[in-house]
Amino acid sequence: MLTLDGVHAGYTAVPVLNGVSIKVEEGQFVAIVGPNGAGKTTIFRTISGTLKPRAGRIAFEGLDLADVPADRRPHLGIAHVPEGRQVFASLSVFENLELGAYTEAGRRDWKRNLDAILGWFPRLAERRSQLAGTLSGGEQQMLAIGRGLASSPRLLMLDEPSMGLAPTVADFIFERLLEIRKETKLTILLVEQRVAEALESADHGYVLEAGRVVLEGPNSALRANDRVRQAYLGM
Amino acid sequence: MTAQAIENVLQALVAGLLVGAIYGLMCVGLALIFGVMRVINFAQGDFMMLGMYGAFYVFAALTAVLGVSGGLTPYAAILLTGPLLFIFGYAIHALLISRVSGAGAAKLDGDGHYAQLILTLGIALIIQNGALIAFGSQLISVRTSLSASAWTLPIGEEIMLFINQARGVAAIVSVAVMVALTLLIARSMLGKALRASADNPEAATYMGIDVARSHRLAFGMGVGITAVAGGLLATTLPFQPFVGLDYVIVMYAGVVLGGMGSIGGAFLGGMTIGLVQQLSTLILPTQLQNTAIFVVFLAIVFFRPQGFFGRVSERT
Ligand SMILES: Nc1ncnc2c1ncn2[C@@H]1O[C@H](COP(=O)(O)OP(=O)(O)OP(=O)(O)O)[C@@H](O)[C@H]1O
Ligand SMILES: [Mg+2]
C-alpha cells in the first residue's frame, strides 16, 4: 500500500534520512521505533508531503507521490496524526472533527464515522463544544486520532500518540487503537517511544537509528532480537 | 442638563453608532487580513478607496445601462463592488503578498512582517497615485436621494432625534454584511477551513486543506469587505484618492481594540472609534474629530506594550 524506497531527506543543511526504505501492506499494523532524533517524524513529513525528499521514491497504492502536493494526499486516504497532537486550539472539539472530514470520503461517511469516533472516545462527546486548546493532553490526543479517523483514511499514521501522557492514559489510547484496528481493519503506521507496546501490537516493525533502518522484521523476530531487547526493552 | 444638551448628546450618540457601524465593517475586513491571517497591510485604506470609486462607477454604470437611479441603486452598486475588489485582493495576494506571508515568509526576518510592511506601503503608493491619474483629485461622492431625508425619533416632549436616512441605511447594510460574514466564518466548511489554516497551517494541510488558497481567499474577502464599507461611507462622505490614509489608522486601532483575532471584536472596535469620534464633537471643534481617533490609537499603543502582534488571550 505504501512504499518508501531509498528516501533521503533533511532540513536546510543537515541530512536526516539517509536512504530509508519501508513497506506497509494493506491491513498491516507497522511500527517504527528508534531513539530521539532518529528521523521518525521526518519520515512522516515526507510521506505527508510537508517535507520534500531529496532522493528516493514514495508511492501510495502504486501512485508516485512526488508530484502530489501535501494538501492532496489526505484526499488519497493518508491521515497523519502528528506528533504533539496539533489540534486546532481555537476551534471547538466538534469543529476539529468536522475538519477531519474535509476529504471527500470523510464527508461521505461523516455520520457513520462520527458515531464510531464518539463511541471509541466518549470523552469527546462530553466536550464537543469546548475549545480544543483547553482539553487535557490525553483528550487532545483522542481528538487528534478522532480527527484523523474522520477523514475515512485508508492509511492512518500516528506519530507518538503516547507522548507526554500519563501511563494509564497512554494505555487507554493504545487499547483503543487496537480496538479500532480490530473493528475497522484499518492499515496503521505507528511511530512510538514505548517500544514494548508498539512491537507487541504491531505485525511488523522497523528500527530506525540516525536516519537509517538498522533492523526490520515481524514483531516476534524483533522482540527476540538481542539488540532490540538491550537497547529498547531493557532486558 | 437642559433638554437641548441631552438632545445634543443623544444626537452625537446616534451619529456615532451609525458611522461606527461602517467603521466596524471596515475593521472586520482588516481583521481577516491582519487579525486572523497575520499579514500587515498598509494598503487596506487604499483598497477601501478603490471600493469608493468602484461603487461610484458601478452606480454610474447601473444608472446608464439600466436607467435606474432610485433610492436603493447605490447600495446595489456598493454590494456589487465587493466581489470586484475580492477578485482584486485575491490576485494581489497570489501575485505579491504570498511571497512575504504564510509559507513564503518562512525564510524572512520577523515572520515576513518587515517585508509585508514595505510591500504593502509600495502597493498603497501605487494605488493612490494610480487613482490620482485615473480619477483626478476632485472630491466626489456616491449620491443617494436618501441623504436629503431623515427619520425623526421623538423622545419625550422636548427631544427630537434626526436620523439621516443615508446614514441609517448604510449602518443597516453594514450590520447585515457583518452578520452574513460572521455566519460564513462560523458555520460554513469554508469558514472552518480558513480558521484552521490560520490556527495551525501544518495540521490544516494534514486535513487536506490548501492553506495557501485559504490565505488568498481570506485576503480577498478582507479587501472586499473593507471595500463595501468604503462604498457605504462614500454615500455620506466626499472622497478623493488619498482618503485611505485617515482610515488605515481607524482600521488598525479598531482591530487592536477588538482583540486581534476576533471578527466580532473588530466590529465593536470600529464601533467604539465611531462613537469616540462623534462624541468628541461635543467638546472639540469638528476639525479635531480625527485627532480624537489618534488619541485613542496612541492610548492603545501605550496601554498595550506587547504591541500589535500580541493577542489579548494567548492560545495554548
Ligand atoms: N524543522 C526542522 N528544522 C531543522 N532540523 C530539524 C527540524 N525538525 C527536525 N529536525 C532535526 O532532524 C532530526 C530528526 O528529527 P525528527 O523529528 O525526525 O526525530 P524523531 O525521530 O521524530 O525524534 P523524537 O523521537 O524526539 O520525536 C533531529 O536531529 C532534529 O533536530
Ligand atoms: Mg518525532
Side-chain angles (χ1 to χ4, degrees):
Chain A
M1 171 177 257
L2 176 77
T3 35
L4 277 74
D5 195 8
V7 170
H8 289 254
Y11 307 90
T12 51
V14 254
V16 175
L17 303 181
N18 305 297
V20 170
S21 298
I22 285 174
K23 227 186 174 68
V24 181
E25 303 290 354
E26 173 122 38
Q28 246 186 348
F29 185 157
V30 175
I32 303 174
V33 299
N36 290 118
K40 305 180 296 294
T41 298
T42 306
I43 291 181
F44 270 26
R45 289 214 181 102
T46 60
I47 298 171
S48 316
T50 43
L51 183 70
K52 287 248 173 299
R54 297 211 174 118
R57 210 179 95 91
I58 304 175
F60 182 68
E61 303 198 304
L63 175 71
D64 189 337
L65 293 183
D67 296 323
V68 181
D71 63 85
R72 289 310 305 167
R73 297 188 191 189
H75 300 278
L76 300 177
I78 301 177
H80 184 165
V81 179
E83 183 175 64
R85 319 181 241 289
Q86 310 240 24
V87 295
F88 299 113
S90 62
L91 275 66
S92 73
V93 167
F94 195 72
E95 287 174 330
N96 269 268
L97 293 175
E98 287 181 300
L99 282 159
Y102 193 77
T103 60
E104 293 84 21
R107 287 179 209 217
R108 189 190 58 215
D109 304 337
W110 168 243
K111 287 249 145 49
R112 198 177 35 154
N113 285 341
L114 181 67
D115 286 346
I117 292 163
L118 297 181
W120 288 314
F121 302 112
R123 194 60 86 76
L124 298 180
E126 289 165 29
R127 314 208 160 241
R128 55 164 41 205
S129 47
Q130 189 172 328
L131 291 188
T134 63
L135 294 176
S136 75
E139 290 163 348
Q140 288 192 8
Q141 189 61 59
M142 296 175 207
L143 179 57
I145 295 172
R147 192 178 62 173
L149 292 169
S151 69
S152 279
R154 320 235 326 112
L155 168 71
L156 182 67
M157 306 203 304
L158 300 150
D159 194 345
E160 298 202 34
S162 70
M163 189 198 229
L165 302 183
T168 52
V169 182
D171 288 344
F172 170 81
I173 301 249
F174 249 84
E175 279 164 27
R176 280 301 135 98
L177 281 178
L178 292 179
E179 194 182 319
I180 290 166
R181 174 164 189 247
K182 226 165 92 194
E183 286 179 33
T184 62
K185 309 277 180 291
L186 189 59
T187 313
I188 296 180
L189 178 59
L190 171 78
V191 157
E192 240 327 308
Q193 295 270 332
R194 290 168 53 122
V195 176
E197 285 90 340
L199 291 184
E200 199 174 314
S201 14
D203 308 317
H204 201 89
Y206 290 83
V207 179
L208 191 77
E209 283 174 13
R212 279 176 217 281
V213 174
V214 293
L215 212 59
E216 72 161 296
N219 68 343
S220 51
L222 284 184
R223 277 190 294 162
N225 182 288
D226 284 339
R227 187 166 168 188
V228 173
R229 288 167 71 95
Q230 278 173 13
Y232 298 105
L233 302 176
M235 289 191 255
Chain B
M1 245 205 278
T2 65
Q4 183 60 46
I6 294 171
E7 185 177 300
N8 286 345
V9 171
L10 287 177
Q11 197 67 57
L13 212 56
V14 168
L17 287 173
L18 295 182
V19 75
I22 302 179
Y23 290 177
L25 188 64
M26 211 183 271
C27 293
V28 164
L30 185 67
L32 278 172
I33 292 171
F34 178 60
V36 179
M37 293 298 170
R38 314 253 101 191
V39 173
I40 297 189
N41 175 21
F42 273 123
Q44 191 72 1
D46 305 293
F47 293 137
M48 184 202 82
M49 175 270 290
L50 288 181
M52 294 169 137
Y53 280 100
F56 181 87
Y57 286 108
V58 172
F59 179 36
L62 286 181
T63 312
V65 176
L66 303 178
V68 285
S69 60
L72 293 179
T73 318
Y75 300 97
I78 290 163
L79 291 176
L80 285 173
T81 308
L84 290 180
L85 267 287
F86 164 82
I87 294 168
F88 184 72
Y90 188 95
I92 292 263
H93 190 281
L95 291 174
L96 298 169
I97 310 281
S98 60
R99 291 161 197 268
V100 295
S101 68
K107 291 189 186 71
L108 299 171
D109 285 346
D111 290 339
H113 287 317
Y114 302 121
Q116 289 161 13
L117 207 142
I118 294 163
L119 174 63
T120 57
L121 268 177
I123 293 171
L125 290 173
I126 292 170
I127 294 179
Q128 284 165 17
N129 290 289
L132 186 63
I133 294 166
F135 309 128
S137 61
Q138 69 279 23
L139 282 170
I140 55 174
S141 65
V142 176
R143 293 259 176 78
T144 154
S145 51
L146 297 181
S147 58
S149 34
W151 289 300
T152 51
L153 193 68
I155 295 177
E157 294 281 296
E158 298 179 71
I159 298 175
M160 182 71 98
L161 292 183
F162 290 91
I163 299 170
N164 180 289
Q165 291 189 2
R167 286 172 189 269
V169 172
I172 291 166
V173 174
S174 289
V175 171
V177 172
M178 150 77 188
V179 168
L181 179 78
T182 307
L183 288 176
L184 179 80
I185 298 285
R187 303 274 173 82
S188 73
M189 203 56 186
L190 171 70
K192 286 166 197 163
L194 292 183
R195 284 186 285 141
S197 301
D199 184 297
N200 188 329
E202 186 182 344
T205 307
Y206 297 150
M207 302 300 110
I209 297 167
D210 183 344
V211 173
R213 180 170 164 271
S214 293
H215 277 90
R216 288 195 294 278
L217 284 171
F219 194 88
M221 284 163 66
V223 170
I225 293 284
T226 297
V228 167
L232 292 170
L233 194 63
T235 59
T236 63
L237 179 94
F239 57 93
Q240 35 73 28
F242 296 96
V243 66
L245 290 172
D246 288 337
Y247 290 93
V248 85
I249 304 274
V250 169
M251 285 187 261
Y252 275 94
V255 170
V256 175
L257 204 59
M260 301 294 295
S262 139
I263 304 266
F267 188 81
L268 292 179
M271 178 69 81
T272 308
I273 290 170
L275 284 168
V276 168
Q277 186 192 49
Q278 294 302 318
L279 290 172
S280 75
T281 59
L282 293 172
I283 45 174
L284 294 173
T286 323
Q287 306 91 290
L288 290 183
Q289 278 186 6
N290 289 342
T291 314
I293 298 176
F294 272 103
V295 171
V296 174
F297 192 67
L298 284 177
I300 293 164
V301 174
F302 189 75
F303 291 113
R304 281 183 58 92
Q306 66 268 53
F308 290 161
F309 308 120
R311 279 176 197 274
V312 168
S313 56
E314 273 305 325
R315 292 163 176 169
T316 44

